[in-house]
Amino acid sequence: MTMQTRVFIVHMLPARASRFFARASAAGMMTEGYVWIVTDNVGISLDVLPQHTIETMQGVVGFRPYVAKSARNIDFVGRFIARIGAKYHQHPNIRIAKPTIYQFWAYDVAWAVAIATEKVKRFRFSNKCFQMPEGMNRSLIDTLLPSPVGPEVLGAILETDFDGLAGRFTLVDRHMQVPVYEIVNVIGDQAKGIGFWSPASGLSRILNSSTSHGQTNFSIDAGEIQWPGGSKMVPKGWDLPVNGKILRIGVPIRHAFNIFMSVDTIKKGRT
C-alpha cells in the first residue's frame, strides 16, 4: 500500500497562494500531520497578506530574504506609511501595509541607476548625452530615443556597490545577491522568525557576523515550530490512505520448511 505524503511545498504568487490555502483549509488539509512550506514568493508577503488569509495558513513554514533593521530602513518605513496614509486618508477602510523587501529593492535599484548615471555623466560624457531632444513631450515615453551612453551606464550599474535599504547592494552575473534567508513560522497573526539559512553556514538559529556581512551577532528566540493544527510534534510527513484498498497477503499452507514459516489455525476461517 502506497503511503500518502503530507509534505507540500508551495511556490506561487501571493494572490494565488491566498486562494490556495483557503481551499486547503476547507479540505481539512491544514490540520495535524500536514507540513506546508512556502518559498520566498509567498514568504516575502506574509506580513502584508490579509488577516483572513493568515488565519488559513497557521503552522506554515516559509523563508524570505533577511533584512537587518537599520536607521535608514526604519526611517524609510515611517515615511512610506506616512505618504501612503496621506494619499488615502479619505478611505479609512484601506489597510496601509508596511513595505516589503520588494520596495526596498526597488529603492536600492533606483539609487544604483542614479549613482551610475552621475558617474558616467561626470567622468566620461558631456551633459548633452543625457538631455532630451528639443520639442519632445516628456509624457510620451514611446518616443524616447536610445541613449548613446546606454552601454556605459549599464556597465556602471553592474559595478555599483553600496549599502542600501535591503543590505549591501551588489550584482553578481547581473543578479542581486541574498546572503541570508530568514526562516519564519506563521503563528497567530504574524510570521515569527525561527532561524536563518545561508549558503556558507546552512541552517542556524543565530545570525553571526560572518553570515550577515558586518552585522553584529544576532539571535532569536526560536522555541518550537508550531505545525498545522497547533501541534508542536514534528509530523511524520506521510500517512496511510483512508480510502484505499485493504492490503491482503496470501500465505501458502505447506508442510515443508516449517522452520521458516508455519500456519496455525486459531478459529474457523481465521489463521
Side-chain angles (χ1 to χ4, degrees):
M1 183 177 294
T2 304
M3 303 298 180
Q4 291 184 343
T5 183
R6 292 291 187 268
V7 180
F8 302 95
I9 299 177
V10 179
H11 178 69
M12 59 181 63
L13 295 176
R16 291 187 177 181
S18 179
R19 298 192 297 269
F20 175 83
F21 279 104
R23 296 289 183 88
S25 179
M29 299 178 67
M30 299 301 297
T31 55
E32 186 174 349
Y34 285 87
V35 176
W36 292 92
I37 302 173
V38 296
T39 63
D40 57 344
N41 271 17
V42 181
I44 289 175
S45 303
L46 286 176
D47 292 334
V48 298
L49 288 176
Q51 185 61 34
H52 64 83
T53 298
I54 295 298
E55 291 175 357
T56 64
M57 297 179 65
Q58 295 299 300
V60 169
V61 174
F63 62 93
R64 59 191 180 188
Y66 171 70
V67 178
K69 289 185 178 181
S70 65
R72 286 191 62 200
N73 57 35
I74 292 175
D75 176 70
F76 175 84
V77 170
R79 291 187 290 113
F80 180 92
I81 294 177
R83 177 169 295 187
I84 300 300
K87 182 177 181 180
Y88 295 100
H89 70 280
Q90 296 180 348
H91 304 277
N93 294 329
I94 294 180
R95 173 173 171 256
I96 307 300
K98 294 182 179 180
T100 67
I101 194 172
Y102 288 131
Q103 283 75 41
F104 289 165
W105 280 340
Y107 189 89
D108 290 345
V109 168
W111 266 102
V113 173
I115 292 173
T117 302
E118 286 297 322
K119 181 179 179 181
V120 173
K121 178 180 177 181
R122 184 178 304 173
F123 297 107
R124 302 184 186 181
F125 294 93
S126 65
N127 292 342
K128 294 182 179 180
C129 296
F130 294 93
Q131 293 178 353
M132 298 181 64
E134 295 182 3
M136 177 177 289
N137 189 336
R138 293 180 179 271
S139 63
L140 299 179
I141 303 300
D142 294 338
T143 61
L144 288 176
L145 301 176
S147 173
V149 296
E152 297 294 332
V153 174
L154 175 60
I157 292 174
L158 297 178
E159 296 174 357
T160 301
D161 190 352
F162 65 96
D163 288 323
L165 294 180
R168 194 69 186 173
F169 180 92
T170 182
L171 299 176
V172 177
D173 294 330
R174 301 193 177 193
H175 289 84
M176 297 181 66
Q177 300 303 295
V178 180
V180 181
Y181 282 90
E182 179 186 17
I183 304 172
V184 296
N185 184 201
V186 179
I187 302 175
D189 60 352
Q190 63 180 341
K192 177 184 177 183
I194 57 174
F196 303 95
W197 180 89
S198 67
S201 303
L203 292 172
S204 64
R205 291 188 176 183
I206 299 176
L207 183 65
N208 54 47
S209 58
S210 62
T211 58
S212 57
H213 290 266
Q215 299 292 335
T216 57
N217 289 353
F218 178 75
S219 62
I220 58 177
D221 182 13
E224 295 180 333
I225 297 177
Q226 178 175 298
W227 302 99
S231 174
K232 294 294 184 68
M233 296 182 61
V234 179
K236 293 183 299 183
W238 57 269
D239 201 356
L240 295 174
V242 296
N243 56 354
K245 294 182 179 180
I246 298 177
L247 177 63
R248 299 180 181 274
I249 302 176
V251 180
I253 301 178
R254 294 183 179 180
H255 298 290
F257 305 107
N258 289 334
I259 189 174
F260 297 109
M261 181 180 64
S262 63
V263 179
D264 297 327
T265 302
I266 300 175
K267 190 177 181 181
K268 185 177 181 180
R270 297 179 181 272
T271 57

